[in-house]
DNA sequence: TAGATAATTTAAATCGTTTTAAAAAAGGAT
DNA sequence: ATCCTTTTTTAAAACGATTTAAATTATCTA
């Protein structure tokens, strides 16, 4: 293990000078700098991040907390965030969480100051048990940005949102225009999309039918199983809006397998507009959520927070970020009869 | 920011005692220990990982390097690795890499000793440019385990493998049994699966046709585009083996869209056996690669390396891990006429 | 109760950097 | 040559924990 002092000794300077030289300080003689850097390279010296961070309070690492990453919606976000971060000299580590507890572990890791900042893109159950802790993290340790998690920014956390609640409404409007009234929703109770569905029904004066909301449907598999249930159902909806594209695709998969036609027999609409939805057969009608845009914005904000004066920072907190959603009409929805 | 000495002061003990108490040392009086721990909890004290690691040489964090995570094959591995690690008190950070350079960044991060050990599950182009550096990492810094990357273990790196090269052979044998001879392969040049395909052709005495190997086909989209090409092709293969299930599904998607039937007109076989392949319609015939098993084994080895004496460690290096692959026959392959 | 032993606590060194303040060297002006 | 700047280098403190070895206190034995 090569230490700074090894480099210094070989270059005949003190550790202090060596440190300065390696950090391109203009206090050090140009010739000395070149010599030290050359020797460091020869010895393949890599500074100890822990020691460095301990003193310099910087690791150039950002943490990204996301739900376990089999959902392409999130992997697209993750990729975009990394792209922007890398371009600005920061490394990203992903923290995939499946439960409140796991998220908590990472919050503590972050509190231990391994990272310079964090983005939380993890959706969370109705009571946000970790919110207080994250608030504290943001207040005392590192800047934090949320993606689709808080309604608005709080004292210490900036939130980048999309109009998630409006997505089902957009879908319903589209379906109503096509003559549908029996419009179902498959998703998660108390989550913004499900809420948005219920609100939109009221707003558009469509009678709510208890049999038309399917709860706890989140994954491809859930959608698949739901299809088996719906195929057997008596009073079948004529259209179903799904919590995300994966559910929609799983659903279509099983409906078709059981002999139902999409969209001839039943219209299906997804939410998210993941890349796959475009290539699916039939191509999926869905509501676009600008995930990459959110990722990009969140990262920019985080970087700005890290590199700005208190006044600039205050200004950052004046803004609210709420990106709009948009229907992408493709092949899985069609006019009734 | 609460420091150890703050806790110590409030508990009326020295930092040394506080440290001992918080680490459950039996050198400290039971009553003192309780008092210190209580106060630490009250103050919401969380130790600084950097400082801790600097002295104690331990972070309880493992790094996992994987290709960017839109491929479910890898997210399944990742999840499994995290499960095992968590159970043993270690946290996992994911490092998604898309290029040699990105991988290099993480190697350096690891060299800076932020993590206690690392698993590399990233596949890499034909010349493994980073191998020497990873070797050095393993020799001088932290234990490293490879998944599907090296043929065998080296001096310092244990490799957990599956018989990837045999996967195409298994598929071909299945297809030949069904009467196919015009068997194509879509994948990546110089990669083990492609190599396995060519070898198997020879071995099974099937004439090689230049038009039947499609190169640079790795993703869902690649498969989709390939379908458009194959649909137009004159001398079409009767069966296609794909580099992975995503390619297979993309391929089927576009073939069907262009009016070809699978498996009536053409048989398709995937590799990987991702969860989705089971739910796909028609359900995908594929070759199972035991990814979770590999993840589990790799993690166990890493943990063993971290917690074992030199002799035990030597013993670990005696073993080779090479899991077998297996055909999963489902609905996308069928007998030729 | 002295003396020995065991249990508990603590001062100080340490990990590998950065940074501050002071020292040394170099350059310039008279 | 002397004094004053400016440039360059360095010794030492600091970051926040752990750990070693020494000091203190408590317990036991005869």
């Amino acid at each position: 293990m090569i230490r700074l002092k090894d480099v210094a000794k070989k270059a005949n300077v003190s550790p202090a000078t060596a440190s300065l030289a390696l950090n391109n300080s203009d206090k050090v003689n140009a010739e000395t700098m070149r010599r030290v850097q050359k020797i460091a390279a020869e010895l393949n010296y890599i500074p100890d991040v822990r020691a460095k961070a301990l003193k310099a309070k910087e690791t150039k690492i950002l943490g990204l907390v996301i739900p376990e990453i089999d959902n392409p919606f999130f992997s697209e976000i993750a990729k975009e965030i990394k792209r922007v971060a890398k371009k600005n000299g920061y490394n990203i580590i992903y923290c995939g969480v499946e439960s409140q507890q796991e998220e908590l572990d990472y919050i503590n890791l972050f509190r231990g100051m391994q990272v310079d900042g964090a983005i939380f893109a993890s959706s969370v159950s109705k009571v946000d048990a970790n919110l207080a802790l994250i608030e504290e993290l943001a207040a005392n340790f590192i800047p934090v940005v949320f993606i689709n998690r808080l309604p608005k920014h709080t004292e210490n956390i900036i939130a980048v949102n999309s109009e998630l609640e409006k997505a089902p409404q957009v879908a319903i409007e589209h379906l109503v225009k096509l003559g549908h009234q029996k419009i179902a929703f498959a998703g998660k109770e108390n989550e913004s999309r499900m809420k948005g569905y219920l609100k939109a029904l009221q707003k558009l004066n469509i009678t709510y039918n208890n049999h038309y909301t399917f709860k706890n449907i989140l994954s491809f598999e859930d959608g698949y199983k739901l299809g088996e249930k719906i195929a057997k159902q008596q009073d079948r909806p004529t259209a179903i809006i799904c919590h995300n594209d994966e559910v929609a695709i799983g659903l279509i998969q099983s409906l078709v397998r059981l002999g139902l036609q999409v969209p001839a027999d039943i219209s299906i609409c997804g939410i998210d507009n993941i890349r796959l939805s475009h290539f699916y057969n039939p191509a999926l009608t869905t509501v676009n959520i600008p995930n990459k845009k959110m990722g990009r914005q969140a990262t920019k904000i985080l970087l700005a927070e890290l590199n700005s004066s208190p006044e600039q920072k205050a200004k950052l907190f004046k803004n609210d970020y709420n990106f709009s959603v948009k229907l992408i009409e493709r092949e899985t929805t069609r006019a009734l009869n």
Side-chain angles (χ1 to χ4, degrees), chain A:
Chain A
M1 170 98 192
I2 306 282
R3 273 118 61 249
L4 179 62
K5 70 169 154 181
D6 301 322
V7 177
K9 190 180 287 178
K10 189 144 190 188
N12 267 320
V13 294
S14 70
T17 310
S19 172
L20 260 11
L22 291 174
N23 289 297
N24 294 312
S25 163
D26 51 3
K27 287 188 182 167
V28 83
N29 181 285
E31 146 63 14
T32 312
M33 183 150 120
R34 227 164 351 102
R35 198 175 72 246
V36 172
Q37 292 188 344
K38 181 150 163 274
I39 287 175
E42 276 169 20
L43 293 180
N44 206 354
Y45 166 74
I46 292 191
D48 188 309
V49 199
R50 298 162 309 178
K52 197 167 184 161
L54 190 56
K55 193 80 224 287
K57 308 272 179 214
E58 238 196 6
T59 59
K60 290 283 175 185
I61 303 173
L62 304 179
L64 169 59
V65 179
I66 36 173
E68 263 309 340
I69 29 82
D70 18 25
N71 183 336
F73 181 79
F74 288 104
S75 62
E76 287 171 11
I77 290 188
K79 228 165 157 171
E80 186 67 14
I81 288 177
K82 202 187 62 187
R83 212 183 50 75
V84 180
K86 271 262 147 76
K87 211 165 64 185
N88 288 276
Y90 283 82
N91 277 305
I92 289 281
I93 55 178
Y94 300 146
C95 307
V97 300
E98 287 182 282
S99 65
Q100 299 261 359
Q101 176 56 46
E102 278 188 13
E103 192 180 69
L104 184 61
D105 289 347
Y106 287 113
I107 295 173
N108 286 337
L109 211 65
F110 293 166
R111 273 197 47 176
M113 297 284 257
Q114 292 271 25
V115 300
D116 289 351
I119 297 177
F120 285 78
S122 41
S123 52
V124 125
S125 65
K126 53 189 164 182
V127 231
D128 195 338
N130 290 334
L131 184 55
L133 280 169
I134 304 180
E135 274 279 7
E136 202 226 334
L137 181 72
N140 302 322
F141 295 87
I142 54 172
V144 169
V145 177
F146 276 177
I147 292 182
N148 267 353
R149 177 152 175 167
L150 273 183
K152 309 175 70 184
H153 68 255
T154 66
E155 174 121 25
N156 299 295
I157 303 174
I158 296 187
V160 174
N161 288 322
S162 52
E163 297 176 315
L164 257 192
E165 248 193 67
K166 222 175 141 191
Q169 182 183 325
V170 168
I172 294 180
E173 281 166 356
H174 165 67
L175 291 165
V176 166
K177 213 178 283 168
L178 295 175
H180 292 272
Q181 283 285 315
K182 297 182 177 179
I183 302 173
F185 187 87
K188 188 175 173 186
E189 206 169 1
N190 277 317
E191 197 266 352
S192 31
R193 297 170 220 212
M194 179 75 90
K195 280 190 210 157
Y197 165 74
L198 296 172
K199 259 192 211 163
L201 286 187
Q202 269 200 309
K203 192 167 165 186
L204 301 172
N205 244 327
I206 303 175
T207 46
Y208 168 70
N209 183 330
N210 196 25
H211 292 102
Y212 290 174
T213 65
F214 305 103
K215 291 162 191 168
N216 269 315
I217 313 289
L218 289 169
S219 68
F220 183 87
E221 279 89 342
D222 296 337
Y224 194 93
K225 279 175 211 139
L226 178 63
E228 293 170 342
K229 182 175 158 193
I230 287 179
K232 287 191 220 130
Q233 201 169 323
Q234 294 290 5
D235 182 24
R236 216 182 282 143
T238 62
I240 306 175
I241 301 167
C242 299
H243 178 267
N244 61 28
D245 292 344
E246 295 209 293
V247 168
I249 290 173
L251 179 56
I252 298 175
Q253 206 69 295
S254 73
L255 289 176
V256 169
R257 169 166 290 217
L258 295 168
L260 285 168
Q261 308 261 28
V262 175
D265 296 326
I266 189 165
S267 284
I268 306 286
C269 181
I271 295 178
D272 276 357
N273 191 28
I274 59 177
R275 229 163 17 142
L276 176 57
S277 69
H278 172 244
F279 289 102
Y280 193 69
N281 186 20
L284 187 67
T285 296
T286 186
V287 181
N288 180 65
I289 311 285
N291 56 351
K292 281 194 210 161
K293 212 163 154 187
M294 285 193 291
R296 219 175 305 139
Q297 187 64 249
T299 317
K300 279 188 193 163
I301 293 171
L302 193 58
L303 293 173
E305 277 198 76
L306 284 170
N307 302 305
S308 64
S309 61
E311 311 92 64
Q312 292 174 304
K313 227 168 141 170
K315 220 196 266 172
L316 272 178
F317 273 87
K318 290 245 175 68
N319 296 68
D320 263 337
Y321 303 89
N322 201 6
F323 295 113
S324 56
V325 301
K326 188 172 120 202
L327 188 93
I328 310 289
E329 185 175 357
R330 291 201 275 247
E331 301 170 354
T332 55
T333 49
R334 86 147 63 142
L336 199 58
N337 290 350

